[in-house]
Amino acid sequence: MRVVLAEDFYLLRAGLERLLAAHGFTVIAAVDNAADLLTALLEEKPDIAVVDVRLPPTFTDEGLRAAIEARRQLPGLPVLVLSQYVEQLYARELLADQGGAVGYLLKDRVFNDDQFTDAIRAVAGGGTVMDSEVIAKLMTRRQRDEPVTRLSAREREVLALMAEGRSNSAIAQRLFISDKAVGKHSTNIFAKLNLPPSEDDNRRVLAVLAYLNQ
Amino acid sequence: MAFLGLLILCTIFVLSAPRAVTKIWRFAREQGTGALVIRVPLLRDVGWGAALAPVTASFLVLSGTFGITNVGGTGSGNLFNAKSIPGDLFYTTLVLAVMALYTLVRPRPAGYLAAAGLTGIGAWVLYQALVLPRSTYDYEWYGWLRDQLYLPELLLLGTAGLAGGFLLTRRTIVADVRARRYGLAAQVERLSRTRAEAVDSAAAELRRLERDLHDGAQARLVALGINLRTAEKLIDTSPGDAKALVADCREASAKALSELRGLVRGIYPPVLADRGLGDAIKALALDCPVLALTDIQLPGRPPAPVESAVYFAVAEVLNNAAKHAAATAIQIRVAHARGLLRVQVDDDGVGGADPASGTGLAGMERRLGAFDGILAVSSPVGGPTIVVIEVPCALSWPKTSTS
């Protein structure tokens, strides 16, 4: 899988390159600023871009802007955005084009390389992966909302994992329950939230996010 | 007949004036949104001085226009000759009405005008009574005699005018000059207080940061180093234990990171640095557990320290609304007009918020005070709560992107 990497901090960039190579990814370009990132994305059309939000020259949100701009020119270009902090505002902007193939994670998630590379593959495959912190904030926000309060504790756990972009089997593994149980929970969740049922993981995530974010 | 007309007009004016005042008062309340900061000056603020302005001003204008100079004499300009008034009835009414309106809109200058006018009229009448006759009539006995007939009235009128004028001058012009001087002294006093408070709160904030770093991330990094050293020693002899230690280290570093993230948010929220006040407030609204709608009209960026102070104030207000007021909806409005940044946060909660009792809002008020900003709270028991933040500042426009 061909990866374009954008990270301005040398140690982290080198570390990520090593980590990705160790998991069988090919880093075709590793850049340290937004202008080079946009050029690399548009020329190389990688299978996925892993992008730090804060890049030179102004060290604000160039990475995010470059990613959104690249996706405007190449719709559906898979982008995984990494940041030292997550903002729902930025998550919304990334999800706004509804093209899927978007990820938004805290940099800390890189520590767990298996989960991190799973996320990369999910996004490259057209999926949507949101950091659990974004989901947690969305969930607290909807607490007063009637339908969400109707969910059981277990169903809320499943919903949170679903919104992070995990498949049924990944959720089952994480919660130590069977795939069938997860299927049952998700059917219940969709029924209680009045969402159209869907087997497609990405459509499922988008539906859940749209519901939480409305 | 004409006198009757004048009487009717005056009556109508007297009857309609209170309604006009009420109307303008209501308009001011609506414009001032929320009856918190009403800037339209009102008649009662200036007192009776300004109320006299229409009358004295009318007299001044009319005497200037129609030449009522010969107060004690005969002719159309005679003050005591009612014949001159009916002819000027229309103009009298017009001037009266215009001056009344002017008084309502700009009571202070109207008060000055009244003071100057009254003094001037008094002086002029006395001049007419005591000085002018001798020069005009050349001591002709009939002229002099006729003047003496009016002398008591003129003396009374002139003295009353002068006395009233002096009194009014004290109440308006002198009072304002004094207020200006004392106002400056008060401002110096307020500035030195807010500066001291700003320095104190900055120092306290630094101490808190030092403590948090010392007990948090720093301590975790020390532990991390020790554990890594141990793992290094164990790696050959007991790889299993070493692996467990390394896993611990990874967790410790994640915890240190998350603590640092929290600290950074408390110092200067990244989204504020990235996007400025408008988007930072949008981000706050999104993170707020209560549904919060934003209406942000901010074409540029306020100075960074102002952005930061306003951001933390809004965060505190949202926090209060969600935690204590049990609100279900919040409306945030941000706008900048005529050199004033204005943020208004309305919630539909239970109200009863007292900025004096809670340390949070008081602290924010002190912080805004350093920029001559204010934080006003209207929170009757039962709600709703309206918080207004105003800071005088200029906006700067973002540099055009080079990339």
Side-chain angles (χ1 to χ4, degrees):
Chain A
M1 203 176 281
R2 296 159 63 247
V3 183
V4 164
L5 179 66
E7 163 66 58
D8 60 306
F9 185 40
Y10 168 74
L11 280 177
L12 202 49
R13 186 169 68 242
L16 276 171
E17 270 187 86
R18 259 203 310 279
L19 185 146
L20 289 171
H23 282 82
F25 295 94
T26 316
V27 178
I28 49 173
V31 299
D32 64 359
N33 67 75
D36 289 353
L37 169 66
L38 196 57
T39 318
L41 289 180
L42 296 178
E43 280 175 6
E44 306 282 352
K45 298 187 181 61
D47 297 321
I48 183 155
V50 178
V51 176
D52 181 13
V53 166
R54 201 172 268 200
L55 291 174
T58 63
F59 295 98
T60 58
D61 58 347
E62 285 85 353
L64 183 79
R65 286 171 196 272
I68 290 172
E69 173 59 22
R71 277 169 62 85
R72 202 179 57 78
Q73 297 191 28
L74 296 171
L77 176 79
V79 173
L80 175 61
V81 175
L82 295 178
S83 177
Q84 291 282 18
Y85 65 99
V86 287
E87 284 292 345
Q88 292 188 57
L89 186 73
Y90 294 176
R92 279 185 166 212
E93 290 176 4
L94 278 168
L95 292 168
D97 64 9
Q98 302 194 336
V102 164
Y104 184 38
L105 292 178
L106 271 178
K107 273 191 183 165
D108 318 16
R109 310 299 173 213
V110 176
F111 294 172
N112 190 331
D113 53 350
D114 292 329
Q115 262 185 37
F116 178 59
T117 49
D118 280 354
I120 294 182
R121 290 201 180 88
V123 173
T128 303
V129 176
M130 281 294 123
D131 196 274
S132 52
E133 241 185 57
V134 177
I135 306 303
K137 280 178 182 170
L138 287 173
M139 296 283 263
T140 56
R141 181 186 180 143
R142 305 304 296 181
Q143 244 168 19
R144 289 170 195 279
D145 200 80
E146 282 289 327
V148 169
T149 50
R150 265 186 265 144
L151 300 181
S152 69
R154 186 55 115 185
E155 282 162 357
R156 289 175 63 88
E157 279 180 321
V158 173
L159 176 68
L161 289 169
M162 209 188 277
E164 283 174 37
R166 290 174 207 279
S167 64
N168 273 2
S169 54
I171 295 173
Q173 239 178 351
R174 181 77 179 266
L175 297 179
F176 305 108
I177 54 179
S178 69
D179 280 22
K180 231 176 112 185
V182 175
K184 224 179 88 196
H185 284 314
S186 56
T187 318
N188 284 343
I189 292 167
F190 278 72
K192 284 182 183 175
L193 301 185
N194 304 319
L195 293 173
S198 163
E199 280 309 304
D200 175 0
D201 279 346
N202 188 43
R203 290 229 328 262
R204 224 168 53 153
V205 174
L206 288 178
V208 171
L209 285 175
Y211 172 77
L212 290 172
N213 219 357
Q214 67 195 207
Chain B
M1 203 57 202
F3 184 70
L4 199 68
L6 182 67
L7 201 70
I8 290 169
L9 266 166
C10 284
T11 318
I12 291 171
F13 177 75
V14 168
L15 287 179
S16 64
R19 268 181 76 183
V21 173
T22 327
K23 255 188 161 171
I24 290 176
W25 165 251
R26 234 179 250 148
F27 173 73
R29 281 175 76 107
E30 279 159 18
Q31 286 293 305
T33 48
L36 279 167
V37 191
I38 294 162
R39 285 166 193 289
V40 177
L42 292 159
L43 195 60
R44 68 165 184 209
D45 293 340
V46 239
W48 57 278
L52 269 176
V55 183
T56 30
S58 305
F59 186 85
L60 281 182
V61 172
L62 286 173
S63 63
T65 317
F66 300 103
I68 311 179
T69 45
N70 181 10
V71 179
T74 48
S76 72
N78 190 334
L79 183 66
F80 301 109
N81 186 348
K83 262 194 292 180
S84 68
I85 297 177
D88 306 332
L89 189 60
F90 173 71
Y91 300 100
T92 316
T93 321
L94 193 69
V95 172
L96 257 173
V98 169
M99 280 315 298
L101 206 65
Y102 178 70
T103 307
L104 279 176
V105 183
R106 310 295 295 270
R108 293 231 73 98
Y112 302 158
L113 199 64
L118 212 53
T119 316
I121 292 168
W124 183 242
V125 170
L126 283 183
Y127 174 71
Q128 296 257 321
L130 299 174
V131 185
L132 202 61
R134 282 171 245 283
S135 56
T136 315
Y137 301 111
D138 267 344
Y139 298 103
E140 282 182 52
W141 67 273
Y142 49 91
W144 183 84
L145 188 67
R146 197 199 52 214
D147 289 336
Q148 298 315 303
L149 289 175
Y150 287 119
L151 196 59
E153 285 95 333
L154 288 179
L155 280 179
L156 196 67
L157 192 67
T159 319
L162 259 185
F166 277 129
L167 209 63
L168 202 53
T169 309
R170 270 179 65 97
R171 285 279 188 103
T172 55
I173 302 173
V174 175
D176 276 9
V177 168
R178 277 200 190 141
R180 209 185 150 90
R181 195 184 302 148
Y182 295 143
L184 273 177
Q187 195 181 10
V188 169
E189 196 270 329
R190 192 172 52 78
L191 283 177
S192 40
R193 196 192 60 225
T194 51
R195 189 180 63 172
E197 281 170 356
V199 171
D200 281 355
S201 77
E205 194 63 6
L206 283 176
R207 275 197 299 281
R208 187 185 65 79
L209 279 176
E210 189 274 336
R211 240 192 344 263
D212 284 359
L213 278 172
H214 182 270
D215 300 345
Q218 227 171 343
R220 283 190 198 286
L221 284 175
V222 171
L224 204 66
I226 295 171
N227 279 349
L228 277 174
R229 175 74 188 127
T230 317
E232 195 182 348
K233 277 187 175 166
L234 287 175
I235 205 153
D236 294 324
T237 53
S238 145
D241 289 348
K243 207 171 172 184
L245 267 178
V246 171
D248 278 357
C249 289
R250 199 181 64 192
E251 235 164 66
S253 77
K255 281 202 183 114
L257 252 184
S258 118
E259 278 174 13
L260 282 174
R261 199 156 39 232
L263 269 179
V264 167
R265 260 186 210 279
I267 302 168
Y268 201 80
V271 69
L272 187 58
D274 292 357
R275 295 286 183 87
L277 187 62
D279 273 5
I281 287 180
K282 271 185 208 160
L284 274 180
L286 283 172
D287 284 350
C288 183
V290 179
L291 179 70
L293 300 174
T294 52
D295 172 14
I296 293 169
Q297 312 283 334
L298 214 52
R301 286 186 69 163
V306 173
E307 275 194 328
S308 179
V310 172
Y311 173 90
F312 283 109
V314 172
E316 181 69 26
V317 171
L318 291 183
N319 192 29
N320 284 347
K323 256 195 191 158
H324 308 304
T328 59
I330 299 175
Q331 165 87 36
I332 308 169
R333 270 170 288 190
V334 182
H336 184 275
R338 288 188 292 277
L340 196 67
L341 173 69
R342 190 170 196 280
V343 181
Q344 180 174 342
V345 183
D346 304 356
D347 76 55
D348 62 351
V350 295
D354 181 8
S357 69
T359 52
L361 278 183
M364 294 305 152
E365 204 175 359
R366 276 199 296 277
R367 193 164 170 184
L368 290 165
F371 305 100
D372 283 336
I374 55 142
L375 186 150
V377 179
S378 156
S379 185
V381 174
T385 299
I386 301 167
V387 179
V388 174
I389 295 165
E390 284 188 338
V391 186
C393 67
L395 295 186
S396 66
W397 273 257
K399 278 171 260 169
T400 40
S401 179
T402 46
S403 59

